[in-house]
Amino acid sequence: MKAICKLFGLLAAVVWLAACADDETMNKEMPTATTLTARIETSADTRTVLDEGNRVEWTETDRIGVFGSDATQNAPFHIVSMGTGGKALFAGNLAEEEKPLAAYYPYTDNASLNGNELRVEFPREYEYDGNTCGAMIGLPDKEGYFTFRQLAALLKVTILDMPAEACKLKITMPSMSDRSISGKFRVEDITRKDAVLVDCNLFSSRDLVLLLPEEMKTGDQTFYIPLPAGNYHEMYVELLNESGRAFWSKLVTNVSLKRATVLAMPAVETRPVVRVTSHENGATLKGLLPITTVKLKGYVDNYASFGGKVLLRTEEQREISYDGYWNPGFLPAGNFKGVRHNFEGEVELHRGKNTYTFTSTGTDASGREWQDSFELVLNYEMDDTPAEAVDMGTSVKWASHNMCASKPSDLGWTYCWGDNTGTDIKRVDDYDKLDMDKSSIEGYDDYDAAAHCWGDKWRMPTYNDVQELFAATTQEFVTDENGMQGYRLTAENGNTLFFPTDDIFSYPKLSGIYWTSSRYSDISQVYLDRATGFIFWDEDNKKGAYHAFGFAPSFVCQRFYIRPVYGDLPSNQGESVYYYEPEQ
């Protein structure tokens, strides 16, 4: 039977050889031979797309085995000719006056029929010539034809970029499996419409080997492999070279093969590859924070040995390396023996464009050194929706929640002072905002995160804005309805603000630090490496009875929260400095 050419869908249906013989094209001048006209069962539920015209075609080398009415066993019948649309006439020798009783395909020299039970043995290894060798049983019908029905299923294996060194395609069942895929089989009752092959020998093989012809050792190739119907917990599919070394080994799990159906495996690549399956290149993700994490999933395939790493380059040209040796489960290193290995790992995702460069090194199944790299680009859009502007009876309005928070009880994101994107994570000695010529950064897009992200009249509060707020409000330590602890500030007009705190310091207790836009200075000088934050604390854990707030000179590379304000810029923009007067 000619090779099946194209198949659409995971479980494509099976088309059976249809129609009766065409008298005009059949050769019937064989007086010494018995002839029979074969057709294959046609069913809307069992269709197999075989050639480009959706027909089954026979080849000149096809043979069927025939059992005669006078006990002739397993007579080989050869194809005589083919009519249009897959019609076929077979001929062979039976005893005089004997009629064909039953037939099967493909012919083997060891088949037998005892009553309605067919026994047949299929080879463990055979040359793959494009024929499916899918077992069928043929019985005479009311119209005088022999209609053939499938006894097995077909596994479709598509291999991309077939290596010239490939010699064998091997299907293997696990050693503990009770299912055989070659050797001796039987059909309990050939008259049943749902008759299937059943393993009848515990010593039958759990291997099936297809020897590949030269013309199938290049380009993309598709193979159709007959297997007994049934449930398969596990099976391995391997592509081997002449020495038996695997180019790859694929594990197929928990599949059900049904009679007269085709199960299509995903197309298999033969070159060593690393693939990301969780995200498409160029995808856009969204979130509240300037930096979040994303879990990348994928697989490493066709490597005999493998080592890999990922380098992240952000839009701000920051680089972060992820090495498989130090990140368990993410691009693992080791001896993979050509077997697919899945991976997953968390990587940072910064606002803007993120370019992840995957680099892999190792050997393929033939021992050749292999190096490869590719890029995955993910774009991250940060939600810069401003908070509500709350009137607290001061010269500016205050945001109802922190930057990068979704509600007042959320802490949001911590920023270095002067970092307008929220992505700076640096030490004091290499922080690139130290040499700015501004004593205060409110409203400057290059430094003020609130102005940069929220726009309009939003900005960071100055030292004077904070003093004005605390002078105009009362402060109370509370636990809000979401269970978050913090300080509630109440204005004379009844409006309130909630400032959540955290435990970033062990003392003072229940503290939280928020940046102002102002530099820090003492009487003698302005400190370029320090800026002013305002702090909430509860000294001795007295629930706000003492020191509701204060100012904290902090290194600019430290990361604190930002509570923006909305209003006009101060007249002395860029000159506001918090001066610390030492006690006399």
Side-chain angles (χ1 to χ4, degrees):
M1 185 174 294
K2 191 176 180 179
I4 297 176
C5 298
K6 292 190 177 179
L7 177 72
F8 300 97
L10 181 63
L11 288 177
V14 169
V15 131
W16 297 89
L17 192 52
C20 61
D22 187 336
D23 292 339
E24 295 182 359
T25 58
M26 297 297 186
N27 177 12
K28 295 186 178 181
E29 297 179 2
M30 299 184 64
T32 63
T34 301
T35 63
L36 63 83
T37 304
R39 64 181 182 182
I40 298 180
E41 178 183 45
T42 301
S43 170
D45 297 326
T46 55
R47 291 187 60 83
T48 302
V49 179
L50 300 180
D51 66 4
E52 294 185 1
N54 294 348
R55 297 179 302 271
V56 173
E57 297 290 350
W58 300 84
T59 65
E60 294 179 356
T61 59
D62 279 333
R63 291 193 302 168
I64 60 176
V66 177
F67 301 94
S69 58
D70 290 337
T72 295
Q73 288 282 317
N74 199 28
F77 273 48
H78 300 262
I79 195 165
V80 176
S81 72
M82 295 176 291
T84 58
K87 303 169 187 177
L89 184 70
F90 286 85
N93 295 318
L94 294 179
E96 188 176 355
E97 302 298 328
E98 189 175 22
K99 297 180 179 179
L101 179 66
Y104 72 95
Y105 172 89
Y107 174 82
T108 65
D109 59 9
N110 48 30
S112 64
L113 184 65
N114 183 13
N116 289 334
E117 184 185 70
L118 173 69
R119 288 180 177 264
V120 65
E121 183 173 353
F122 294 111
R124 175 181 176 273
E125 181 175 295
Y126 64 88
E127 296 278 349
Y128 187 84
D129 58 2
N131 293 346
T132 67
C133 292
M136 294 187 290
I137 189 72
L139 296 174
D141 56 28
K142 294 180 179 179
E143 299 178 14
Y145 306 119
F146 268 70
T147 299
F148 281 76
R149 299 195 307 270
Q150 277 278 8
L151 299 173
L154 290 176
L155 180 69
K156 177 187 177 185
V157 178
T158 299
I159 301 175
L160 306 178
D161 194 16
M162 178 72 76
E165 300 88 350
C167 290
K168 300 176 182 180
L169 187 63
K170 183 179 181 181
I171 312 295
T172 306
M173 303 300 297
S175 59
M176 298 302 293
S177 174
D178 59 355
R179 182 174 294 281
S180 297
I181 55 177
S182 62
K184 295 181 179 180
F185 294 89
R186 65 189 175 94
V187 181
E188 294 179 348
D189 186 351
I190 62 174
T191 64
R192 294 183 50 153
K193 289 186 177 181
D194 59 351
V196 294
L197 290 175
V198 179
D199 179 14
C200 65
N201 190 330
L202 294 178
F203 299 99
S204 291
S205 175
R206 291 172 175 81
D207 295 342
L208 181 62
V209 178
L210 280 63
L211 305 178
L212 307 184
E214 288 297 324
E215 61 270 18
M216 298 190 75
K217 294 182 179 181
T218 182
D220 299 345
Q221 299 292 343
T222 299
F223 301 86
Y224 292 85
I225 306 165
L227 294 174
N231 297 320
Y232 289 76
H233 178 61
E234 287 184 345
M235 74 171 75
Y236 291 90
V237 182
E238 297 178 289
L239 184 66
L240 309 176
N241 64 13
E242 186 174 4
S243 64
R245 189 169 184 175
F247 288 94
W248 45 255
S249 177
K250 309 303 175 190
L251 176 62
V252 182
T253 61
N254 299 321
V255 296
S256 178
L257 296 180
K258 299 181 180 180
R259 185 191 76 86
T261 61
V262 179
L263 177 64
M265 286 180 55
V268 178
E269 296 180 273
T270 58
R271 295 163 59 92
V273 294
V274 178
R275 293 285 184 264
V276 176
T277 58
S278 56
H279 298 81
E280 291 186 4
N281 190 37
T284 297
L285 293 82
K286 297 181 180 181
L288 286 171
L289 306 179
I291 301 176
T292 186
T293 59
V294 62
K295 183 173 290 186
L296 298 181
K297 298 181 181 181
Y299 62 85
V300 176
D301 206 356
N302 304 327
Y303 275 93
S305 63
F306 175 80
K309 65 180 181 179
V310 180
L311 178 67
L312 165 62
R313 182 175 291 104
T314 71
E315 191 167 289
E316 291 86 11
Q317 300 304 309
R318 298 183 180 93
E319 293 186 351
I320 304 170
S321 180
Y322 301 90
D323 193 320
Y325 288 99
W326 308 109
N327 293 267
F330 189 43
L331 285 187
N335 184 7
F336 285 4
K337 299 181 180 180
V339 178
R340 174 176 294 194
H341 283 250
N342 295 325
F343 67 80
E344 65 177 60
E346 283 194 345
V347 293
E348 287 188 4
L349 185 68
H350 291 231
R351 64 181 298 157
K353 180 180 179 180
N354 297 261
T355 303
Y356 303 89
T357 302
F358 287 72
T359 302
S360 56
T361 58
T363 58
D364 65 11
S366 63
R368 291 175 296 188
E369 295 293 328
W370 194 269
Q371 293 185 351
D372 196 14
S373 66
F374 70 93
E375 291 185 348
L376 171 70
V377 175
L378 296 180
N379 301 298
Y380 179 52
E381 292 182 1
M382 177 181 163
D383 185 354
D384 289 330
T385 304
E388 178 187 355
V390 181
D391 181 5
M392 299 298 291
T394 61
S395 59
V396 293
K397 294 180 179 181
W398 283 77
S400 59
H401 58 67
N402 292 348
M403 288 198 68
C404 302
S406 60
K407 56 182 181 292
S409 59
D410 289 346
L411 285 164
W413 186 253
T414 53
Y415 289 75
C416 295
W417 190 83
D419 172 22
N420 65 342
T421 66
T423 58
D424 268 326
I425 304 175
K426 297 189 176 184
R427 303 184 307 274
V428 174
D429 57 0
D430 66 357
Y431 189 59
D432 57 9
K433 302 298 194 302
L434 295 179
D435 59 353
M436 66 178 70
D437 59 356
K438 301 289 187 295
S439 295
S440 190
I441 59 174
E442 68 277 356
Y444 290 98
D445 187 82
D446 289 343
Y447 307 112
D448 184 337
H452 178 74
C453 296
W454 288 6
D456 197 9
K457 292 185 177 182
W458 289 102
R459 58 178 174 81
M460 292 173 65
T462 65
Y463 166 71
N464 291 331
D465 291 331
V466 178
Q467 280 193 318
E468 184 183 14
L469 173 67
F470 278 88
T473 61
T474 58
Q475 300 87 39
E476 178 186 12
F477 177 80
V478 297
T479 300
D480 76 352
E481 64 274 11
N482 296 301
M484 175 62 77
Q485 294 180 326
Y487 279 84
R488 183 168 61 209
L489 279 60
T490 304
E492 291 185 2
N493 60 15
N495 290 338
T496 62
L497 292 175
F498 179 72
F499 285 79
T501 60
D502 61 14
D503 290 325
I504 56 174
F505 297 114
S506 59
Y507 181 84
K509 295 179 181 179
L510 300 169
S511 62
I513 300 180
Y514 292 75
W515 279 124
T516 75
S517 61
S518 306
R519 289 274 197 187
Y520 168 73
S521 174
D522 63 15
I523 293 177
S524 61
Q525 64 175 323
V526 174
Y527 290 91
L528 294 179
D529 62 349
R530 299 181 193 178
T532 305
F534 62 97
I535 184 172
F536 296 88
W537 74 75
D538 188 9
E539 192 174 77
D540 297 327
N541 202 26
K542 293 183 179 180
K543 308 301 183 189
Y546 300 92
H547 303 291
F549 84 100
F551 288 96
S554 303
F555 290 110
V556 294
C557 64
Q558 290 180 277
R559 302 180 63 83
F560 300 136
Y561 304 108
I562 294 177
R563 179 63 67 92
V565 297
Y566 184 86
D568 294 331
L569 290 167
S571 58
N572 62 338
Q573 180 194 12
E575 300 176 2
S576 174
V577 176
Y578 165 55
Y579 288 92
Y580 172 73
E581 295 283 354
E583 294 183 1
Q584 299 297 323

